Amino acid sequence: MAILALTNSLEDMKERLGKMVVANDKKGEPVTAEDLGVTGALAVLMKDAIKPTLMQTLEGTPVFVHAGPFANIAHGNSSVLADKIALKLVGEKGFVVTEAGFGADIGMEKFFNIKCRASGLVPSVVVLVATVRALKMHGGGPNVTAGAPLKKEYTEENLQLVADGCCNLQKQIQITQLFGVPVVVALNVFKTDSPAEVDLVCEIAKRSGAFDAVPCNHWSDGGRGAVKLAQAVEKAANQKNSFKYLYSLELPIVEKIRIIAQKVYGAQDIELSPAAQSQIDRYTRQGFGNLPICMAKTHLSLSHQPERKGVPTGFILPISDVRASIGAGFIYPLVGTMSTMPGLPTRPCFYDIDLDPVTEQVKGLF
């Protein structure tokens, strides 16, 4: 998935597939897919998957749907090819909106440090999406349980809770500013948000360095509800752009991890387990030390502890293991107890999926 999302062409994809490390030999040297002679067969399997799927919104805006690596356990961005085709189609004055998963600390950081390096593209503006509800949670609001009704703190006006939670929004804006790109905050408005809460968030966002902060009602009004956001993005894109990467690839692996932990997450320092240090030594010895870093970390907190909301400080970020996706082209440290398996429900959906042998009708898929 990561190779598909980061590739620039069929030739590039074949090269990345061939670089995949599947084992180490008895001398500790990497064994690749190319060594096994399976690169061509892998490319044949992927020859159609490399083509982005063209879809459209309800209002007829073209949309490419292509690739889906999670931002907490992978690099969290749609494909480079979809972006490049979209840019070609919209023309010189057009705009392409591409998603980076979760917050600025995860999806956006990886978009800049990994995807932009792979594509060679420079972003014009960052749109940071926020909600009053999420900010209330960061301000100390009660836990939210999927499927259970929201507590009154989230459905009634509570300016103090919003103000307290805006520290997280301020931190997200600061992370964006590390990369030198203008940022516009899009406040996704719910019907339970009061005008005072909306105004407060927008005011704090602008005061914290956002180029603009715009309430959006596209959930109820469609495209009309995001016209002001589009206008703000257009203006921000015309601002001076001093885009830069967060770290040099030439730095040692440990230093690159430390820079992300301290500058992005706000950690005091990192702590490597013996297993993590051993893997770093191995990858450096094998010649993989100059790859970018793709942190596998919870998306529920700036720290490694999901329950710590707001802006945690003074924590030591534990690196339990370090792995490598050589074909995709990055090293991925595992933070704390992070699992690289996608989260699945307690009761798997396959129990409800069936096929009627007479009508061939699929049941329970949606």
Side-chain angles (χ1 to χ4, degrees):
M1 178 68 82
I3 288 175
L4 179 70
L6 290 170
T7 193
N8 281 283
S9 64
L10 263 174
E11 184 180 0
D12 181 46
M13 185 178 73
K14 278 190 69 176
E15 187 178 330
R16 289 173 180 272
L17 291 170
K19 285 180 178 177
M20 288 194 302
V21 175
V22 298
N24 292 304
D25 65 19
K26 291 180 180 178
K27 295 179 182 178
E29 296 301 316
V31 178
T32 66
E34 180 66 23
D35 292 332
L36 300 181
V38 298
T39 304
L42 291 171
V44 170
L45 282 174
M46 298 291 287
K47 74 179 182 68
D48 294 318
I50 197 175
K51 300 167 186 174
T53 302
L54 178 62
M55 302 181 76
Q56 63 179 339
T57 67
L58 292 173
E59 297 180 358
T61 302
V63 176
F64 281 123
V65 177
H66 199 216
F70 292 101
N72 52 350
I73 57 175
H75 74 281
N77 288 269
S78 57
S79 78
V80 167
L81 278 174
D83 288 356
K84 289 191 170 182
I85 295 171
L87 282 166
K88 185 177 180 180
L89 293 176
V90 299
E92 192 176 334
K93 295 184 179 179
F95 283 78
V96 174
V97 179
T98 187
E99 183 198 7
F102 300 123
D105 57 312
I106 301 185
M108 190 204 73
E109 180 270 314
K110 294 172 182 178
F111 173 86
F112 287 141
N113 285 319
I114 298 173
K115 187 178 179 182
C116 287
R117 279 188 162 108
S119 68
L121 298 175
V122 174
S124 303
V125 59
V126 170
V127 177
L128 195 58
V129 182
T131 66
V132 167
R133 290 179 180 180
L135 293 172
K136 283 181 173 179
M137 177 178 281
H138 281 293
N143 288 334
V144 174
T145 305
L150 286 171
K151 303 282 175 60
K152 65 180 179 61
E153 285 86 349
Y154 297 110
T155 57
E156 297 176 5
E157 182 177 280
N158 191 324
L159 294 176
Q160 188 59 54
L161 210 53
V162 174
D164 290 344
C166 276
C167 63
N168 185 269
L169 178 59
Q170 290 172 305
K171 175 64 175 173
Q172 300 280 339
I173 292 169
Q174 289 166 10
I175 294 168
T176 307
Q177 291 171 331
L178 292 172
F179 298 91
V181 181
V183 56
V184 172
V185 172
L187 184 62
N188 198 3
V189 179
F190 287 74
K191 63 182 180 180
T192 52
D193 300 342
S194 75
E197 289 175 329
V198 171
D199 290 344
L200 179 60
V201 173
C202 291
E203 179 193 336
I204 292 175
K206 285 186 273 194
R207 213 167 55 219
S208 303
F211 174 80
D212 204 351
V214 186
C216 305
N217 294 290
H218 46 277
W219 68 274
S220 57
D221 299 336
R224 285 175 303 171
V227 170
K228 289 182 179 178
L229 172 62
Q231 291 168 341
V233 167
E234 187 175 22
K235 287 178 184 175
N238 291 323
Q239 299 299 301
K240 182 183 176 184
N241 187 328
S242 53
F243 172 66
K244 56 184 179 292
Y245 299 120
L246 185 65
Y247 52 79
S248 165
L249 293 181
E250 308 302 316
L251 289 172
I253 293 173
V254 173
E255 284 309 305
K256 288 182 279 195
I257 296 171
R258 182 174 282 113
I259 286 171
I260 295 171
Q262 292 179 332
K263 291 192 175 181
V264 178
Y265 307 153
Q268 182 179 324
D269 204 353
I270 61 173
E271 183 178 66
L272 299 173
S273 72
Q277 185 62 63
S278 174
Q279 286 292 79
I280 288 172
D281 294 341
R282 178 196 293 272
Y283 295 138
T284 303
R285 190 173 62 252
Q286 292 177 336
F288 303 137
N290 287 347
L291 293 176
I293 303 299
C294 183
M295 303 286 274
K297 183 186 81 71
T298 179
H299 59 288
L300 298 172
S301 172
L302 287 163
S303 74
H304 58 289
Q305 298 165 297
E307 69 279 3
R308 294 190 69 177
K309 306 302 182 187
V311 183
T313 57
F315 61 94
I316 304 296
L317 195 76
I319 309 299
S320 57
D321 198 4
V322 176
R323 300 174 189 169
S325 293
I326 303 305
F330 53 70
I331 302 290
Y332 66 101
L334 272 59
V335 179
T337 57
M338 191 68 193
S339 168
T340 53
M341 281 294 288
L344 299 172
T346 306
R347 186 177 186 277
C349 299
F350 58 69
Y351 284 122
D352 302 314
I353 300 171
D354 202 358
L355 180 70
D356 188 312
V358 178
T359 64
E360 297 187 11
Q361 185 76 31
V362 176
K363 302 174 182 176
L365 192 57
F366 300 106

